[in-house]
Amino acid sequence: MNRDILIRREGCAGRITLNRPHALNALTWEMAKAIEAALDDWRNDIQVELLIIDAKGEKAFCSGGDIADMYASGQRGDLSYGRQFWADEYRLNAKLFQFPKPVVTFLQGFTMGGGVGVGCHGSHRIVDASSRIAMPECTIGLVPDVGGSLLLAQAPGRLGEYLGLTGDRMDAADAIHCGFADYYVPSSWETLKKRLTQTGNLGEVDNAAQQPPASRLAASQPDIDMYFAGETHADIMRGLPPDPPAVIARAQEKMARNAPLAMAVATEIIHRVRMRPTIANALDQEFRYTYRAVAQGDFIEGIRAAIIDKDRNPRWAHYDWTKVTGADVLQMTLPLGDAALKLEETP
């Protein structure tokens, strides 16, 4: 029995609860496979009218994927572990996005990276004053993945580029404005969950929702749209002004810490997905990078600096954004041929 995740049926609802509050509910490989199995079981079960996905603890819905094993396998030169983990996780993300029944998610505290893949593809995504949602993958040499590139591509204006390249955290109002959440419900979540399991009436969510506070990112969007409209990451960087407005100065500080290659590829992926905004295309584009990420090296170095040694001083393969070429981006985004992501396959 996997104690890291609680899967059961209550009333007319399928219930999935992440149960690793001590680890900020970081998603393990086994948890991802357990969620997928539940989706397969409940997809055609007429007794399950909707899904409720939540998490134990107040600090986080899910802070991301559990990447310690990924680092260990990379140190051994094992490329297969990460590739299979991402293939399985992305298949889960697609199934959540395409699930034929309502999926209600309760996103308290941190929802980041892999947590976005579990929590932000639902049909009814609920946030409160504690919610902090982000795609910070470029800080560890990865790109926004788990279908997050689709959410970024569909965000208003150029907020997708801004969020993907900086990893900035959205509060509840920002998340709703940017399309990562739907409802602001500041209290009584347990009461709402009970009503949903008893009635299956999604009108209960509408009844509980309140007007969110004003969005910081909405107010800053004119500046973000102006300075994040470049065709490439290099275009964006070259267009930044010498005396930037506050939101752009903050963005510069954040991007200065991130992996230059990851930001360049993230920009390319967001633009590709904006041209063809489907979950399958998003996951395919992301997998092209993550499949190659361990061998390329920035991802392992990013984990070392952030999680293992915690020196916050990663030594990226490209020490400056000016050193990333178009050929470097192309090398990480070419089709994978026979190794391409196969979403329809379930072991």
Side-chain angles (χ1 to χ4, degrees), residues 218-245:
S220 298
Q221 190 170 335
D223 288 329
I224 291 171
D225 288 354
M226 178 180 295
Y227 292 112
F228 277 81
E231 183 62 29
T232 67
H233 176 242
D235 291 337
I236 291 170
M237 296 300 291
R238 281 191 290 265
L240 296 178
D243 185 21

Side-chain angles (χ1 to χ4, degrees), residues 248-268:
I248 302 304
R250 175 182 171 87
Q252 286 177 290
E253 291 176 4
K254 288 181 172 296
M255 289 189 291
R257 298 191 291 266
N258 295 347
L261 177 63
M263 290 188 289
V265 174
T267 305
E268 175 68 16

Side-chain angles (χ1 to χ4, degrees), residues 33 40 60 100 114 179 247 339 347:
K33 290 190 285 189
D40 291 342
V247 67

Side-chain angles (χ1 to χ4, degrees), residues 253-312:
E253 291 176 4
K254 288 181 172 296
M255 289 189 291
R257 298 191 291 266
N258 295 347
L261 177 63
M263 290 188 289
V265 174
T267 305
E268 175 68 16
I269 289 176
I270 291 167
H271 291 177
R272 290 184 184 187
V273 175
R274 188 173 286 138
M275 292 293 292
R276 186 158 63 92
T278 67
I279 191 65
N281 184 41
L283 292 167
D284 174 68
Q285 297 292 335
E286 295 162 6
F287 191 63
R288 296 181 189 188
Y289 184 96
T290 55
Y291 182 90
R292 299 175 168 109
V294 175
Q296 187 272 332
D298 275 349
F299 176 53
I300 296 302
E301 173 61 11
I303 299 174
R304 181 206 63 76
I307 306 297
I308 306 302
D309 297 338
K310 299 182 180 179
D311 60 19
R312 306 291 176 183

